[in-house]
Amino acid sequence: MCRSPWFFKGFCSLMCFVVVFACVSSAGAQNPDALSPYFEGKQVTVKIDMPATQKGVDIYPNRQPTLDAKSYGDRLKQFGVSLQKGDTTMVTKVKVNKDNVEFQLGGGGYGTAGDNTDTSVHFTPADKSDREKELENQLSNETDPDRRRSLQRELDNVRRDRERRDAYNQARAQDDAARRTDQIGMKRQQGGSRFNIRVNTKAMGDSLTPQVIQDALAQYVSFSGNAAGASGGVYPNAGGPGGPGADQVSGLKKGMTREQVEAMFGPAVEAHDRTENGMSMTSCTYKSADEKVQADFVNGVLVQYSVSSR
């Protein structure tokens, strides 16, 4: 069957329209891979207390209420608070999984791979010594009253020695467990937290834009007044080796990575590792003509800092 020239012209026009429409639609959408560079490095302010655990806070944008209040309360009770309502911290990672988006703050929460969460210290009572067993055997076979009393006294002394050693070792184990608990508690307070935005990321595809994430977290996070640009980690007035100025110091925030701090101030003039309350920290010093900045990092994340005049 023959087709007229007008048919082919119309068909070609239709195909061109489809291609152009597809390109425009693609340009309007945003790949989920763009979430990380958009958010990471930005400063945000939390509107709720954040639990000190990598389990974080579960958010369900497609239901009401969006917050899973039960798990939220349970985690606050079990792990304590790492970020208090009103705290400003850095978005350190945004990860898109199959059924959720991890929006990690100040390190993402303690308890991730490599974090030691075991506070238990095992204590095993000592076995009876050969001498104790021998005395028990002799006592069971001895009939002379005086000899039995002598054996019993010696057996009692040997048992008391073993029990004293057990009591001492058990007390040490309990002290070690308490110390581990304190150390992990401190690390939890400094480890940040996260939001788990429960959405079907595969089904959403390119419709999973930064605006969707901000809308989902609007009740719980303030995105205004970010110090970082959309590319993440790039700060206005960032200093080089010359040292920090007044604008730079005001932009210094807990939760920054060491790379982001040094993007502001230049390389550290001094850096050394130390241990505080059983926790490994790296202390760095940054200097200018008028000021000195002392910054402490845990796992590459800024946990405390001070500024003084030289």
Side-chain angles (χ1 to χ4, degrees):
M1 181 173 60
C2 296
R3 300 287 187 180
S4 69
W6 293 107
F7 173 83
F8 291 106
K9 289 183 180 180
F11 179 77
C12 292
S13 299
L14 177 62
M15 292 304 297
C16 290
F17 174 79
V18 170
V19 170
V20 170
F21 180 79
C23 292
V24 172
S25 299
S26 177
Q30 188 161 349
N31 192 294
D33 292 340
L35 296 180
S36 295
Y38 183 88
F39 285 111
E40 289 177 7
K42 284 188 174 182
Q43 296 288 328
V44 297
T45 302
V46 294
K47 298 181 181 180
I48 60 174
D49 291 341
M50 298 296 294
T53 172
Q54 90 288 359
K55 296 180 179 179
V57 178
D58 293 329
I59 301 296
Y60 295 84
N62 298 321
R63 76 183 196 191
Q64 290 296 329
T66 59
L67 177 90
D68 186 342
K70 183 180 185 306
S71 67
Y72 173 69
D74 290 344
R75 291 167 189 172
L76 285 178
K77 183 177 181 179
Q78 181 178 357
F79 301 107
V81 176
S82 63
L83 297 169
Q84 295 184 347
K85 178 181 178 180
D87 281 351
T88 298
T89 188
M90 176 174 287
V91 182
T92 51
K93 188 173 184 179
V94 177
K95 182 180 179 182
V96 178
N97 300 315
K98 180 179 178 181
D99 59 354
N100 77 307
V101 177
E102 297 176 14
F103 196 83
Q104 300 187 18
L105 305 174
Y110 191 80
T112 56
D115 291 337
N116 181 18
T117 59
D118 184 11
T119 61
S120 62
V121 177
H122 301 290
F123 163 73
T124 303
D127 295 330
K128 293 180 181 180
S129 65
D130 291 341
R131 181 55 180 165
E132 185 175 352
K133 295 176 183 177
E134 181 183 357
L135 288 169
E136 289 176 341
N137 184 56
Q138 291 178 8
L139 185 61
S140 65
N141 295 321
E142 184 60 59
T143 58
D144 181 72
D146 292 337
R147 180 61 180 160
R148 283 183 60 83
R149 282 192 292 271
S150 177
L151 290 171
Q152 186 65 59
R153 282 194 298 271
E154 184 177 359
L155 177 60
D156 291 342
N157 288 334
V158 171
R159 283 176 176 170
R160 279 194 292 269
D161 286 344
R162 174 170 57 83
E163 290 168 354
R164 277 195 294 268
R165 289 193 298 270
D166 281 349
Y168 174 75
N169 291 332
Q170 185 174 23
R172 286 190 59 183
Q174 291 172 346
D175 289 344
D176 287 344
R179 184 162 48 251
R180 288 190 185 187
T181 299
D182 291 342
Q183 291 173 353
I184 290 177
M186 179 180 297
K187 291 178 181 179
R188 285 193 178 280
Q189 291 177 358
Q190 298 172 338
S193 192
R194 71 180 63 185
F195 287 95
N196 302 303
I197 306 171
R198 303 291 182 180
V199 291
N200 187 337
T201 60
K202 185 176 181 180
M204 294 185 69
D206 289 346
S207 65
L208 184 61
T209 63
Q211 188 61 50
V212 170
I213 300 300
Q214 291 191 187
D215 290 345
L217 296 177
Q219 299 180 59
Y220 315 107
V221 175
S222 173
F223 291 89
S224 61
N226 290 319
S231 61
V234 179
Y235 289 82
N237 303 319
D247 290 341
Q248 294 167 313
V249 171
S250 65
L252 193 61
K253 300 289 185 180
K254 293 181 181 180
M256 288 182 174
T257 64
R258 182 172 174 178
E259 290 79 7
Q260 289 161 337
V261 172
E262 295 193 351
M264 297 173 66
F265 303 142
V269 297
E270 296 178 10
H272 65 274
D273 296 328
R274 63 187 176 90
T275 301
E276 183 175 307
N277 297 320
M279 182 169 55
S280 298
M281 307 181 73
T282 300
S283 295
C284 296
T285 302
Y286 306 91
K287 292 182 179 179
S288 68
D290 302 318
E291 295 175 317
K292 180 174 74 172
V293 177
Q294 185 70 43
D296 293 333
F297 300 88
V298 175
N299 295 326
V301 176
L302 182 64
V303 296
Q304 59 188 10
Y305 65 90
S306 63
V307 181
S308 59
S309 300
R310 297 185 63 187

